[in-house]
Amino acid sequence: MTQDTRFSELPYSRPVLDAVQSANTELLATFQAAQSADEQAAVLDAWEAQRRSFQTNASLASVRFSQDTTSPAVREEKEFFDNIHPTILGDKIRFLEAVLGSDHRPALESKMGGHVFRLWESELTTFRDEIADDKRTESSLTNRYNTLLAGLKVPFQGTEHTLSTIRGLFGDADRSVRLGATQAQAAALGGVSGELDEIFAELVTVRDRMARRLGYDSYTPLGYREMSRTDYGPAEVAAFRDAIQQTIVPLAARIRQRQAGAIGVSDYAFHDEAIRDLKGSPKPAGDHDWMLDRAEEMFRKMGGDFEQFFSMMRKRDLLDLKSRPGKTGGGFCTSFEEYEVPFIFANFNGTQDDVNVFTHECGHAFQAYTSRSLRPREYLWPTYEACEIHSMGLEFLTYPHMDLFFGDDATRFRTGHLESALTFLPYGAAVDGFQHQIYKTPGAAASDRLAQWQEMEARFLPWRRYVDTPYFEGGRLWQRQRHIYNRPFYYIDYCLAQVCALQLWSRARKDRPGTMALYRELCALGGSKPFTALLSAVGLDNPFDPDVIARVASEAAEALDL
Ligand code: ZN
Protein backbone atom coordinates (compact mmCIF):
# COMPACT_ATOMS: atom_id res chain seq x y z
CA MET A 1 0.00 0.00 0.00
CA THR A 2 1.38 3.37 -1.04
CA GLN A 3 -0.10 6.81 -1.62
CA ASP A 4 -0.74 5.75 -5.23
CA THR A 5 -2.16 2.24 -4.80
CA ARG A 6 -4.95 1.68 -7.29
CA PHE A 7 -8.42 0.45 -6.41
CA SER A 8 -7.81 -3.03 -7.86
CA GLU A 9 -4.73 -3.47 -5.66
CA LEU A 10 -6.19 -2.26 -2.36
CA PRO A 11 -5.55 -5.06 0.14
CA TYR A 12 -8.66 -7.08 1.00
CA SER A 13 -9.06 -9.96 3.39
CA ARG A 14 -12.13 -11.76 4.62
CA PRO A 15 -12.12 -11.47 8.43
CA VAL A 16 -12.27 -14.63 10.54
CA LEU A 17 -15.41 -14.32 12.62
CA ASP A 18 -14.02 -16.15 15.67
CA ALA A 19 -10.96 -13.92 15.72
CA VAL A 20 -13.06 -10.75 15.45
CA GLN A 21 -15.34 -11.94 18.22
CA SER A 22 -12.54 -12.86 20.60
CA ALA A 23 -10.90 -9.49 19.94
CA ASN A 24 -14.23 -7.86 20.78
CA THR A 25 -14.54 -9.85 24.00
CA GLU A 26 -11.04 -8.81 25.00
CA LEU A 27 -11.69 -5.14 24.21
CA LEU A 28 -14.80 -5.21 26.38
CA ALA A 29 -12.96 -6.82 29.28
CA THR A 30 -10.06 -4.36 29.00
CA PHE A 31 -12.47 -1.42 28.88
CA GLN A 32 -14.32 -2.63 31.97
CA ALA A 33 -11.07 -3.20 33.87
CA ALA A 34 -9.63 0.22 32.91
CA GLN A 35 -9.03 2.46 35.92
CA SER A 36 -9.03 5.90 34.30
CA ALA A 37 -10.51 7.90 31.43
CA ASP A 38 -7.13 7.78 29.67
CA GLU A 39 -7.01 4.00 29.86
CA GLN A 40 -10.56 3.76 28.55
CA ALA A 41 -9.76 6.22 25.76
CA ALA A 42 -6.85 3.98 24.73
CA VAL A 43 -9.25 1.02 24.45
CA LEU A 44 -11.60 3.16 22.35
CA ASP A 45 -8.66 3.94 20.03
CA ALA A 46 -7.91 0.23 19.60
CA TRP A 47 -11.61 -0.42 18.95
CA GLU A 48 -11.60 2.38 16.35
CA ALA A 49 -8.69 0.80 14.44
CA GLN A 50 -10.40 -2.58 14.46
CA ARG A 51 -13.69 -1.10 13.22
CA ARG A 52 -11.93 0.79 10.42
CA SER A 53 -10.27 -2.35 9.19
CA PHE A 54 -13.57 -4.26 9.30
CA GLN A 55 -15.45 -1.47 7.49
CA THR A 56 -12.79 -1.35 4.79
CA ASN A 57 -13.08 -5.04 3.95
CA ALA A 58 -16.90 -4.95 4.12
CA SER A 59 -17.01 -1.89 1.87
CA LEU A 60 -14.63 -3.48 -0.68
CA ALA A 61 -16.84 -6.60 -0.78
CA SER A 62 -19.96 -4.48 -1.21
CA VAL A 63 -18.51 -2.32 -4.01
CA ARG A 64 -17.31 -5.39 -5.90
CA PHE A 65 -20.81 -6.89 -5.67
CA SER A 66 -22.31 -3.65 -7.05
CA GLN A 67 -19.83 -3.84 -9.92
CA ASP A 68 -20.79 -7.41 -10.83
CA THR A 69 -23.89 -9.03 -9.38
CA THR A 70 -23.43 -12.04 -11.69
CA SER A 71 -20.21 -13.44 -10.19
CA PRO A 72 -20.88 -16.16 -7.59
CA ALA A 73 -17.52 -15.57 -5.88
CA VAL A 74 -18.16 -11.85 -5.47
CA ARG A 75 -21.69 -12.50 -4.24
CA GLU A 76 -20.34 -14.95 -1.66
CA GLU A 77 -18.07 -12.27 -0.15
CA LYS A 78 -20.94 -9.81 0.09
CA GLU A 79 -23.19 -12.44 1.67
CA PHE A 80 -20.48 -13.34 4.15
CA PHE A 81 -20.54 -9.78 5.52
CA ASP A 82 -24.35 -9.60 5.43
CA ASN A 83 -24.52 -12.80 7.47
CA ILE A 84 -22.02 -11.87 10.14
CA HIS A 85 -23.23 -8.27 10.41
CA PRO A 86 -25.87 -8.98 13.10
CA THR A 87 -23.33 -10.95 15.17
CA ILE A 88 -20.83 -8.10 15.03
CA LEU A 89 -23.64 -5.66 15.82
CA GLY A 90 -24.49 -7.67 18.95
CA ASP A 91 -20.86 -7.35 20.13
CA LYS A 92 -20.94 -3.65 19.37
CA ILE A 93 -24.12 -3.11 21.39
CA ARG A 94 -22.54 -4.82 24.44
CA PHE A 95 -19.44 -2.67 24.08
CA LEU A 96 -21.50 0.51 23.72
CA GLU A 97 -23.46 -0.32 26.87
CA ALA A 98 -20.18 -0.38 28.74
CA VAL A 99 -19.00 2.88 27.15
CA LEU A 100 -22.26 4.72 27.81
CA GLY A 101 -22.37 3.46 31.38
CA SER A 102 -18.75 4.34 32.13
CA ASP A 103 -17.94 6.31 35.31
CA HIS A 104 -15.51 8.31 33.17
CA ARG A 105 -18.11 9.26 30.57
CA PRO A 106 -17.91 13.06 31.12
CA ALA A 107 -14.15 12.96 30.46
CA LEU A 108 -14.64 10.73 27.41
CA GLU A 109 -17.36 13.06 26.08
CA SER A 110 -15.16 16.09 26.43
CA LYS A 111 -12.38 14.28 24.56
CA MET A 112 -14.55 12.87 21.75
CA GLY A 113 -17.42 15.36 21.59
CA GLY A 114 -20.95 14.72 22.85
CA HIS A 115 -22.49 14.00 19.45
CA VAL A 116 -21.06 10.51 19.09
CA PHE A 117 -22.55 9.60 22.49
CA ARG A 118 -26.02 10.75 21.30
CA LEU A 119 -25.54 8.61 18.17
CA TRP A 120 -24.53 5.59 20.23
CA GLU A 121 -27.45 6.05 22.61
CA SER A 122 -29.76 6.05 19.62
CA GLU A 123 -28.04 3.02 18.09
CA LEU A 124 -28.45 1.03 21.33
CA THR A 125 -32.21 1.12 20.77
CA THR A 126 -31.99 -0.32 17.23
CA PHE A 127 -30.67 -3.80 17.91
CA ARG A 128 -30.91 -6.80 20.21
CA ASP A 129 -29.81 -10.36 19.51
CA GLU A 130 -33.48 -11.42 19.13
CA ILE A 131 -33.67 -9.63 15.79
CA ALA A 132 -30.40 -10.96 14.35
CA ASP A 133 -32.14 -13.45 12.06
CA ASP A 134 -34.61 -10.81 10.91
CA LYS A 135 -31.67 -8.56 10.00
CA ARG A 136 -30.22 -11.36 7.89
CA THR A 137 -33.58 -11.85 6.18
CA GLU A 138 -33.79 -8.13 5.48
CA SER A 139 -30.39 -8.01 3.76
CA SER A 140 -31.05 -11.11 1.71
CA LEU A 141 -34.31 -9.54 0.51
CA THR A 142 -32.62 -6.29 -0.49
CA ASN A 143 -29.87 -8.27 -2.27
CA ARG A 144 -32.61 -10.15 -4.13
CA TYR A 145 -34.26 -6.88 -5.19
CA ASN A 146 -30.96 -5.36 -6.36
CA THR A 147 -29.97 -8.47 -8.28
CA LEU A 148 -33.42 -8.68 -9.90
CA LEU A 149 -33.25 -5.07 -11.09
CA ALA A 150 -29.60 -5.33 -12.18
CA GLY A 151 -30.41 -8.33 -14.36
CA LEU A 152 -33.52 -6.86 -16.04
CA LYS A 153 -33.23 -6.65 -19.81
CA VAL A 154 -35.04 -3.79 -21.50
CA PRO A 155 -35.25 -4.42 -25.25
CA PHE A 156 -35.95 -1.30 -27.32
CA GLN A 157 -35.44 -0.57 -31.01
CA GLY A 158 -33.18 -3.56 -31.52
CA THR A 159 -30.90 -2.82 -28.55
CA GLU A 160 -30.90 -4.59 -25.22
CA HIS A 161 -30.85 -1.90 -22.54
CA THR A 162 -30.55 -2.05 -18.76
CA LEU A 163 -32.83 -0.04 -16.47
CA SER A 164 -30.05 2.58 -16.30
CA THR A 165 -29.26 2.92 -20.01
CA ILE A 166 -32.91 3.07 -21.13
CA ARG A 167 -33.29 6.23 -19.06
CA GLY A 168 -30.90 7.87 -21.51
CA LEU A 169 -33.77 7.95 -24.03
CA PHE A 170 -36.32 9.55 -21.70
CA GLY A 171 -35.00 12.99 -22.69
CA ASP A 172 -35.01 12.30 -26.45
CA ALA A 173 -36.28 15.13 -28.66
CA ASP A 174 -38.56 12.66 -30.51
CA ARG A 175 -41.75 12.17 -28.52
CA SER A 176 -42.37 8.68 -29.89
CA VAL A 177 -38.89 7.60 -28.71
CA ARG A 178 -39.60 8.98 -25.22
CA LEU A 179 -42.91 7.16 -25.06
CA GLY A 180 -41.44 3.94 -26.46
CA ALA A 181 -38.53 3.99 -23.98
CA THR A 182 -40.91 4.63 -21.08
CA GLN A 183 -43.14 1.78 -22.23
CA ALA A 184 -40.12 -0.52 -22.59
CA GLN A 185 -39.02 0.22 -19.03
CA ALA A 186 -42.54 -0.23 -17.68
CA ALA A 187 -42.90 -3.53 -19.55
CA ALA A 188 -39.60 -4.88 -18.17
CA LEU A 189 -40.62 -3.98 -14.60
CA GLY A 190 -44.15 -5.27 -15.27
CA GLY A 191 -42.68 -8.67 -16.15
CA VAL A 192 -41.43 -9.05 -12.57
CA SER A 193 -44.14 -7.10 -10.74
CA GLY A 194 -45.30 -10.18 -8.82
CA GLU A 195 -41.80 -10.71 -7.47
CA LEU A 196 -41.40 -7.00 -6.68
CA ASP A 197 -44.68 -7.11 -4.70
CA GLU A 198 -43.58 -10.23 -2.88
CA ILE A 199 -40.12 -8.91 -1.92
CA PHE A 200 -41.64 -5.68 -0.67
CA ALA A 201 -44.36 -7.41 1.36
CA GLU A 202 -41.70 -9.55 3.05
CA LEU A 203 -39.52 -6.52 3.74
CA VAL A 204 -42.38 -4.62 5.38
CA THR A 205 -43.30 -7.67 7.46
CA VAL A 206 -39.76 -8.26 8.68
CA ARG A 207 -39.18 -4.57 9.46
CA ASP A 208 -42.44 -4.30 11.38
CA ARG A 209 -41.60 -7.49 13.32
CA MET A 210 -38.12 -6.21 14.27
CA ALA A 211 -39.64 -2.96 15.53
CA ARG A 212 -42.23 -4.75 17.67
CA ARG A 213 -39.60 -7.11 19.10
CA LEU A 214 -37.61 -4.04 20.15
CA GLY A 215 -40.68 -2.54 21.83
CA TYR A 216 -41.78 0.04 19.23
CA ASP A 217 -45.39 0.44 18.06
CA SER A 218 -44.40 0.42 14.41
CA TYR A 219 -41.32 0.44 12.21
CA THR A 220 -41.32 4.25 11.76
CA PRO A 221 -39.55 5.27 15.00
CA LEU A 222 -37.03 2.45 14.51
CA GLY A 223 -36.47 3.55 10.90
CA TYR A 224 -35.72 7.09 12.10
CA ARG A 225 -33.21 5.78 14.60
CA GLU A 226 -31.60 3.60 11.94
CA MET A 227 -31.13 6.82 9.98
CA SER A 228 -29.36 8.20 13.12
CA ARG A 229 -31.69 11.19 13.31
CA THR A 230 -31.12 12.72 16.70
CA ASP A 231 -32.58 16.21 16.19
CA TYR A 232 -36.02 15.80 14.52
CA GLY A 233 -38.80 13.25 14.11
CA PRO A 234 -41.81 12.28 11.95
CA ALA A 235 -43.86 15.32 13.05
CA GLU A 236 -41.28 17.81 11.76
CA VAL A 237 -40.96 15.82 8.54
CA ALA A 238 -44.76 15.78 8.05
CA ALA A 239 -44.82 19.58 8.42
CA PHE A 240 -41.97 19.82 5.91
CA ARG A 241 -43.97 17.74 3.37
CA ASP A 242 -46.94 20.06 3.94
CA ALA A 243 -44.75 23.08 3.25
CA ILE A 244 -43.58 21.49 -0.01
CA GLN A 245 -47.18 20.87 -0.97
CA GLN A 246 -48.19 24.46 -0.25
CA THR A 247 -45.18 26.29 -1.66
CA ILE A 248 -43.46 24.09 -4.23
CA VAL A 249 -46.29 22.09 -5.84
CA PRO A 250 -47.92 25.20 -7.40
CA LEU A 251 -44.50 26.39 -8.66
CA ALA A 252 -43.68 22.93 -10.06
CA ALA A 253 -47.07 22.90 -11.79
CA ARG A 254 -46.21 26.22 -13.49
CA ILE A 255 -42.87 24.73 -14.61
CA ARG A 256 -44.68 21.71 -16.10
CA GLN A 257 -47.19 23.95 -17.81
CA ARG A 258 -44.46 26.04 -19.41
CA GLN A 259 -42.62 22.90 -20.51
CA ALA A 260 -45.82 21.62 -22.16
CA GLY A 261 -46.10 24.93 -24.02
CA ALA A 262 -42.44 24.84 -25.08
CA ILE A 263 -42.81 21.41 -26.64
CA GLY A 264 -46.20 22.32 -28.09
CA VAL A 265 -48.35 19.57 -26.62
CA SER A 266 -51.85 19.87 -25.20
CA ASP A 267 -51.76 16.35 -23.75
CA TYR A 268 -48.60 16.70 -21.61
CA ALA A 269 -47.71 13.30 -20.15
CA PHE A 270 -45.22 11.48 -17.94
CA HIS A 271 -42.98 10.69 -20.92
CA ASP A 272 -42.57 14.44 -21.57
CA GLU A 273 -41.36 15.30 -18.08
CA ALA A 274 -37.63 14.83 -18.78
CA ILE A 275 -37.39 17.57 -21.43
CA ARG A 276 -38.01 21.28 -21.41
CA ASP A 277 -37.92 22.21 -25.09
CA LEU A 278 -38.05 20.66 -28.55
CA LYS A 279 -34.29 20.15 -28.67
CA GLY A 280 -34.50 17.43 -26.00
CA SER A 281 -32.16 17.17 -23.02
CA PRO A 282 -28.70 18.69 -23.48
CA LYS A 283 -26.01 16.05 -23.81
CA PRO A 284 -22.34 16.25 -22.77
CA ALA A 285 -20.30 16.72 -25.92
CA GLY A 286 -18.09 13.64 -25.46
CA ASP A 287 -17.70 10.18 -24.01
CA HIS A 288 -16.49 8.87 -20.65
CA ASP A 289 -12.78 9.68 -21.06
CA TRP A 290 -13.56 13.10 -22.49
CA MET A 291 -15.82 13.78 -19.50
CA LEU A 292 -13.03 12.93 -17.07
CA ASP A 293 -10.66 15.31 -18.88
CA ARG A 294 -13.26 18.11 -18.65
CA ALA A 295 -13.80 17.29 -14.97
CA GLU A 296 -10.10 17.56 -14.32
CA GLU A 297 -10.09 21.00 -15.95
CA MET A 298 -13.14 22.07 -13.96
CA PHE A 299 -11.65 21.03 -10.62
CA ARG A 300 -8.37 22.73 -11.49
CA LYS A 301 -10.30 25.97 -11.93
CA MET A 302 -12.08 25.44 -8.61
CA GLY A 303 -8.89 25.45 -6.54
CA GLY A 304 -5.88 23.41 -5.46
CA ASP A 305 -7.84 21.28 -3.00
CA PHE A 306 -10.39 20.20 -5.62
CA GLU A 307 -7.65 19.62 -8.17
CA GLN A 308 -5.61 17.42 -5.85
CA PHE A 309 -8.70 15.48 -4.76
CA PHE A 310 -9.82 14.68 -8.29
CA SER A 311 -6.45 13.83 -9.79
CA MET A 312 -5.95 11.41 -6.87
CA MET A 313 -9.35 9.78 -7.56
CA ARG A 314 -8.57 9.38 -11.23
CA LYS A 315 -4.99 8.19 -10.84
CA ARG A 316 -6.03 5.54 -8.33
CA ASP A 317 -9.06 4.30 -10.34
CA LEU A 318 -11.47 5.21 -7.56
CA LEU A 319 -14.18 5.84 -10.15
CA ASP A 320 -16.40 3.25 -11.87
CA LEU A 321 -18.75 5.24 -14.06
CA LYS A 322 -19.59 3.19 -17.16
CA SER A 323 -22.80 1.17 -17.47
CA ARG A 324 -22.31 -2.58 -17.82
CA PRO A 325 -24.74 -5.51 -17.73
CA GLY A 326 -24.86 -7.02 -14.24
CA LYS A 327 -23.81 -3.78 -12.51
CA THR A 328 -26.36 -2.52 -9.99
CA GLY A 329 -28.16 0.65 -10.99
CA GLY A 330 -27.88 4.20 -9.75
CA GLY A 331 -24.88 5.96 -8.37
CA PHE A 332 -23.26 6.15 -4.96
CA CYS A 333 -20.15 7.18 -3.11
CA THR A 334 -18.57 5.15 -0.35
CA SER A 335 -15.17 5.08 1.31
CA PHE A 336 -12.49 2.69 2.50
CA GLU A 337 -11.75 4.08 5.94
CA GLU A 338 -8.45 2.36 6.61
CA TYR A 339 -7.01 3.69 3.34
CA GLU A 340 -8.70 7.11 3.78
CA VAL A 341 -10.03 7.24 0.22
CA PRO A 342 -13.55 7.57 -1.22
CA PHE A 343 -14.94 5.61 -4.19
CA ILE A 344 -17.50 6.74 -6.77
CA PHE A 345 -19.90 4.40 -8.58
CA ALA A 346 -22.25 5.45 -11.40
CA ASN A 347 -23.89 4.24 -14.61
CA PHE A 348 -23.24 6.71 -17.42
CA ASN A 349 -25.84 6.68 -20.18
CA GLY A 350 -24.60 9.48 -22.44
CA THR A 351 -27.01 12.15 -21.20
CA GLN A 352 -26.94 15.20 -18.94
CA ASP A 353 -27.66 12.79 -16.07
CA ASP A 354 -24.02 11.74 -16.29
CA VAL A 355 -22.89 15.25 -15.40
CA ASN A 356 -25.49 15.48 -12.64
CA VAL A 357 -24.58 12.14 -11.10
CA PHE A 358 -20.90 12.84 -11.47
CA THR A 359 -20.87 16.27 -9.80
CA HIS A 360 -23.26 14.90 -7.15
CA GLU A 361 -21.07 11.94 -6.20
CA CYS A 362 -17.93 14.11 -6.39
CA GLY A 363 -19.53 16.33 -3.73
CA HIS A 364 -19.87 13.33 -1.41
CA ALA A 365 -16.35 12.17 -2.21
CA PHE A 366 -14.83 15.63 -1.71
CA GLN A 367 -16.43 15.82 1.74
CA ALA A 368 -15.27 12.31 2.68
CA TYR A 369 -11.75 13.15 1.51
CA THR A 370 -11.68 16.54 3.26
CA SER A 371 -12.74 15.16 6.62
CA ARG A 372 -10.89 11.82 6.38
CA SER A 373 -8.74 12.43 9.44
CA LEU A 374 -11.64 13.03 11.85
CA ARG A 375 -12.01 10.57 14.74
CA PRO A 376 -14.05 8.63 15.78
CA ARG A 377 -15.31 7.08 12.55
CA GLU A 378 -18.88 8.24 13.31
CA TYR A 379 -17.67 11.74 12.38
CA LEU A 380 -16.45 10.77 8.91
CA TRP A 381 -19.89 11.20 7.33
CA PRO A 382 -22.82 13.13 8.77
CA THR A 383 -26.38 11.82 8.59
CA TYR A 384 -27.72 11.56 5.04
CA GLU A 385 -29.67 14.82 4.83
CA ALA A 386 -26.43 16.67 5.63
CA CYS A 387 -24.41 14.46 3.25
CA GLU A 388 -26.75 15.36 0.43
CA ILE A 389 -25.94 19.06 0.87
CA HIS A 390 -22.34 18.32 -0.10
CA SER A 391 -23.50 16.52 -3.23
CA MET A 392 -26.53 18.55 -4.29
CA GLY A 393 -24.69 21.73 -3.32
CA LEU A 394 -21.79 20.89 -5.63
CA GLU A 395 -24.26 20.38 -8.52
CA PHE A 396 -25.14 24.09 -8.15
CA LEU A 397 -21.64 25.31 -7.34
CA THR A 398 -20.26 23.82 -10.57
CA TYR A 399 -22.73 25.89 -12.69
CA PRO A 400 -20.05 28.37 -13.90
CA HIS A 401 -18.03 25.45 -15.35
CA MET A 402 -20.83 23.71 -17.22
CA ASP A 403 -19.70 25.29 -20.50
CA LEU A 404 -16.84 22.79 -20.41
CA PHE A 405 -19.32 19.91 -20.70
CA PHE A 406 -22.18 21.43 -22.68
CA GLY A 407 -20.66 24.24 -24.77
CA ASP A 408 -23.45 26.40 -26.22
CA ASP A 409 -26.04 24.32 -24.39
CA ALA A 410 -24.71 25.26 -20.93
CA THR A 411 -27.43 27.82 -20.25
CA ARG A 412 -30.15 25.36 -21.29
CA PHE A 413 -28.52 22.83 -18.96
CA ARG A 414 -28.43 25.22 -15.98
CA THR A 415 -32.03 26.33 -16.44
CA GLY A 416 -33.18 22.73 -16.78
CA HIS A 417 -31.21 21.73 -13.69
CA LEU A 418 -32.77 24.49 -11.60
CA GLU A 419 -36.25 23.53 -12.80
CA SER A 420 -35.57 19.87 -11.99
CA ALA A 421 -34.30 20.80 -8.54
CA LEU A 422 -37.75 22.31 -7.87
CA THR A 423 -39.87 19.62 -9.55
CA PHE A 424 -37.91 16.99 -7.64
CA LEU A 425 -39.13 18.25 -4.25
CA PRO A 426 -42.78 17.11 -4.72
CA TYR A 427 -41.63 13.71 -5.98
CA GLY A 428 -39.38 13.31 -2.94
CA ALA A 429 -42.24 14.29 -0.63
CA ALA A 430 -44.47 11.71 -2.36
CA VAL A 431 -41.87 8.95 -1.82
CA ASP A 432 -41.55 9.92 1.84
CA GLY A 433 -45.28 10.30 2.51
CA PHE A 434 -45.83 6.90 0.87
CA GLN A 435 -43.32 5.20 3.16
CA HIS A 436 -44.97 6.67 6.25
CA GLN A 437 -48.28 5.21 5.04
CA ILE A 438 -46.66 1.85 4.31
CA TYR A 439 -45.25 1.37 7.79
CA LYS A 440 -48.46 2.64 9.39
CA THR A 441 -50.38 -0.17 7.63
CA PRO A 442 -47.92 -3.05 7.46
CA GLY A 443 -50.60 -5.66 6.79
CA ALA A 444 -51.91 -3.89 3.66
CA ALA A 445 -52.44 -5.96 0.51
CA ALA A 446 -50.31 -5.26 -2.58
CA SER A 447 -53.29 -3.56 -4.23
CA ASP A 448 -53.74 -1.22 -1.21
CA ARG A 449 -50.12 -0.13 -1.61
CA LEU A 450 -50.73 0.80 -5.23
CA ALA A 451 -53.69 2.94 -4.13
CA GLN A 452 -51.54 4.55 -1.40
CA TRP A 453 -48.96 5.53 -4.02
CA GLN A 454 -51.66 6.92 -6.31
CA GLU A 455 -52.93 9.07 -3.44
CA MET A 456 -49.43 10.55 -3.08
CA GLU A 457 -49.21 11.21 -6.82
CA ALA A 458 -52.57 13.01 -6.71
CA ARG A 459 -51.41 15.15 -3.80
CA PHE A 460 -47.87 16.03 -4.84
CA LEU A 461 -47.75 15.41 -8.61
CA PRO A 462 -51.19 16.60 -9.74
CA TRP A 463 -50.03 17.16 -13.35
CA ARG A 464 -48.96 13.56 -13.79
CA ARG A 465 -50.61 11.55 -16.55
CA TYR A 466 -49.34 8.18 -17.79
CA VAL A 467 -50.07 7.04 -21.34
CA ASP A 468 -50.24 3.40 -22.45
CA THR A 469 -48.06 2.17 -19.61
CA PRO A 470 -50.35 -0.04 -17.52
CA TYR A 471 -47.59 -0.79 -15.02
CA PHE A 472 -47.12 2.89 -14.08
CA GLU A 473 -50.80 3.79 -14.47
CA GLY A 474 -51.62 1.06 -11.97
CA GLY A 475 -49.63 2.80 -9.20
CA ARG A 476 -46.30 0.98 -9.42
CA LEU A 477 -43.78 3.69 -10.28
CA TRP A 478 -42.36 3.52 -6.75
CA GLN A 479 -41.08 -0.02 -7.35
CA ARG A 480 -38.16 1.33 -9.40
CA GLN A 481 -37.15 3.67 -6.54
CA ARG A 482 -34.38 1.68 -4.88
CA HIS A 483 -34.39 3.58 -1.59
CA ILE A 484 -37.93 2.38 -0.82
CA TYR A 485 -36.68 -1.20 -0.74
CA ASN A 486 -33.11 -0.69 0.44
CA ARG A 487 -33.19 2.15 2.94
CA PRO A 488 -36.57 3.11 4.45
CA PHE A 489 -37.10 6.83 5.12
CA TYR A 490 -33.91 7.77 3.23
CA TYR A 491 -35.46 10.02 0.63
CA ILE A 492 -36.80 13.08 2.38
CA ASP A 493 -33.10 13.66 3.04
CA TYR A 494 -32.73 14.74 -0.60
CA CYS A 495 -35.54 17.25 -0.14
CA LEU A 496 -34.14 18.69 3.09
CA ALA A 497 -30.72 18.94 1.45
CA GLN A 498 -32.15 20.45 -1.74
CA VAL A 499 -33.58 23.37 0.24
CA CYS A 500 -30.06 23.88 1.65
CA ALA A 501 -28.40 23.42 -1.75
CA LEU A 502 -30.75 26.07 -3.17
CA GLN A 503 -29.50 28.39 -0.45
CA LEU A 504 -25.93 27.76 -1.69
CA TRP A 505 -27.08 28.54 -5.26
CA SER A 506 -28.71 31.76 -4.06
CA ARG A 507 -25.67 32.87 -2.05
CA ALA A 508 -23.20 32.01 -4.81
CA ARG A 509 -25.08 34.34 -7.18
CA LYS A 510 -24.21 37.21 -4.85
CA ASP A 511 -20.91 36.08 -3.31
CA ARG A 512 -19.17 33.14 -4.95
CA PRO A 513 -15.88 33.15 -2.97
CA GLY A 514 -17.74 33.42 0.34
CA THR A 515 -20.10 30.59 -0.63
CA MET A 516 -17.23 28.34 -1.71
CA ALA A 517 -15.57 29.00 1.65
CA LEU A 518 -18.80 28.07 3.43
CA TYR A 519 -19.02 24.86 1.36
CA ARG A 520 -15.46 23.87 2.25
CA GLU A 521 -16.12 24.61 5.92
CA LEU A 522 -19.24 22.43 5.88
CA CYS A 523 -17.36 19.55 4.20
CA ALA A 524 -14.51 19.76 6.71
CA LEU A 525 -16.97 19.43 9.62
CA GLY A 526 -17.90 15.96 8.32
CA GLY A 527 -20.34 14.34 10.71
CA SER A 528 -19.06 15.96 13.88
CA LYS A 529 -22.50 17.50 14.60
CA PRO A 530 -26.14 16.61 13.95
CA PHE A 531 -27.87 18.02 10.84
CA THR A 532 -29.39 21.22 12.22
CA ALA A 533 -26.23 22.03 14.23
CA LEU A 534 -24.07 21.68 11.08
CA LEU A 535 -26.37 24.17 9.37
CA SER A 536 -26.11 26.74 12.13
CA ALA A 537 -22.33 26.22 12.40
CA VAL A 538 -21.89 27.48 8.84
CA GLY A 539 -24.83 29.91 8.81
CA LEU A 540 -27.29 28.04 6.58
CA ASP A 541 -31.00 28.41 7.38
CA ASN A 542 -33.09 25.52 8.66
CA PRO A 543 -35.21 23.90 5.91
CA PHE A 544 -37.85 22.88 8.46
CA ASP A 545 -38.76 26.58 8.62
CA PRO A 546 -41.53 27.12 5.99
CA ASP A 547 -40.30 30.69 5.45
CA VAL A 548 -36.94 29.36 4.28
CA ILE A 549 -38.64 27.16 1.66
CA ALA A 550 -40.79 30.09 0.57
CA ARG A 551 -37.74 32.33 0.23
CA VAL A 552 -35.69 29.96 -1.96
CA ALA A 553 -38.78 29.12 -4.02
CA SER A 554 -39.48 32.76 -4.74
CA GLU A 555 -35.89 33.51 -5.74
CA ALA A 556 -35.82 30.46 -8.03
CA ALA A 557 -39.18 31.43 -9.55
CA GLU A 558 -37.82 34.89 -10.28
CA ALA A 559 -34.63 33.51 -11.84
CA LEU A 560 -36.78 31.25 -14.02
CA ASP A 561 -39.15 34.10 -14.98
CA LEU A 562 -42.11 32.28 -13.53
ZN1 ZN B 1 -26.15 11.57 -2.74
Side-chain angles (χ1 to χ4, degrees), residues 187-468:
L189 288 162
V192 293
S193 65
E195 199 172 350
L196 290 168
D197 285 347
E198 184 189 307
I199 295 172
F200 193 64
E202 287 179 35
L203 275 169
V204 174
T205 303
V206 76
R207 286 172 180 152
D208 185 67
R209 189 168 63 225
M210 286 193 281
R212 290 178 196 281
R213 283 184 174 160
L214 291 171
Y216 297 97
D217 290 341
S218 76
Y219 177 70
T220 305
L222 174 59
Y224 272 60
R225 289 186 177 218
E226 288 192 328
M227 293 296 292
S228 303
R229 291 172 180 162
T230 56
D231 52 344
Y232 61 92
E236 285 86 351
V237 172
F240 178 66
R241 289 196 302 271
D242 288 345
I244 289 179
Q245 186 183 1
Q246 277 151 27
T247 311
I248 306 290
V249 171
L251 174 57
R254 293 208 296 282
I255 292 173
R256 294 300 183 201
Q257 202 173 22
R258 185 165 74 179
Q259 288 173 345
I263 60 170
V265 298
S266 55
D267 54 348
Y268 187 73
F270 176 61
H271 58 273
D272 298 316
E273 290 186 13
I275 63 164
R276 56 181 306 277
D277 58 38
L278 286 170
K279 289 185 185 164
S281 296
K283 286 190 172 74
D287 63 5
H288 171 273
D289 294 349
W290 178 91
M291 289 260 299
L292 293 194
D293 289 341
R294 297 293 77 72
E296 210 156 305
E297 201 175 332
M298 170 174 83
F299 286 125
R300 192 161 53 239
K301 290 179 172 171
M302 289 177 71
D305 47 355
F306 282 100
E307 181 183 9
Q308 193 266 330
F309 149 75
F310 189 70
S311 69
M312 181 282 297
M313 295 291 287
R314 197 174 180 187
K315 204 166 63 193
R316 299 183 64 179
D317 294 333
L318 294 162
L319 309 157
D320 178 359
L321 309 172
K322 290 181 185 168
S323 283
R324 286 188 306 275
K327 220 175 134 168
T328 55
F332 64 79
C333 170
T334 184
S335 67
F336 310 118
E337 293 174 9
E338 195 173 356
Y339 310 139
E340 298 192 333
V341 287
F343 182 89
I344 294 178
F345 178 95
N347 279 280
F348 277 6
N349 60 18
T351 70
Q352 61 176 356
D353 291 349
D354 297 353
V355 176
N356 289 330
V357 171
F358 179 73
T359 50
H360 180 104
E361 302 306 338
C362 276
H364 287 307
F366 180 74
Q367 177 264 310
Y369 192 61
T370 313
S371 59
R372 65 190 181 279
S373 54
L374 292 178
R375 301 286 182 274
R377 63 178 294 275
E378 280 77 5
Y379 294 164
L380 292 175
W381 302 91
T383 41
Y384 288 121
E385 67 310 69
C387 282
E388 299 303 341
I389 309 175
H390 312 130
S391 54
M392 298 172 108
L394 195 65
E395 292 179 38
F396 287 106
L397 295 173
T398 51
Y399 270 11
H401 305 289
M402 286 297 114
D403 303 62
L404 288 168
F405 296 91
F406 294 103
D408 293 344
D409 267 345
T411 301
R412 284 177 69 229
F413 169 80
R414 284 186 284 261
T415 312
H417 180 274
L418 182 57
E419 287 180 353
S420 304
L422 297 164
T423 55
F424 170 76
L425 289 167
Y427 173 71
V431 169
D432 185 64
F434 174 66
Q435 296 187 85
H436 282 82
Q437 275 305 113
I438 289 292
Y439 293 104
K440 202 185 277 175
T441 52
S447 57
D448 296 336
R449 298 204 166 107
L450 308 186
Q452 286 169 337
W453 173 253
Q454 285 172 323
E455 259 170 54
M456 293 298 152
E457 287 191 327
R459 183 177 161 199
F460 292 104
L461 309 163
W463 54 81
R464 183 152 289 179
R465 199 174 66 85
Y466 299 105
V467 174
D468 297 335

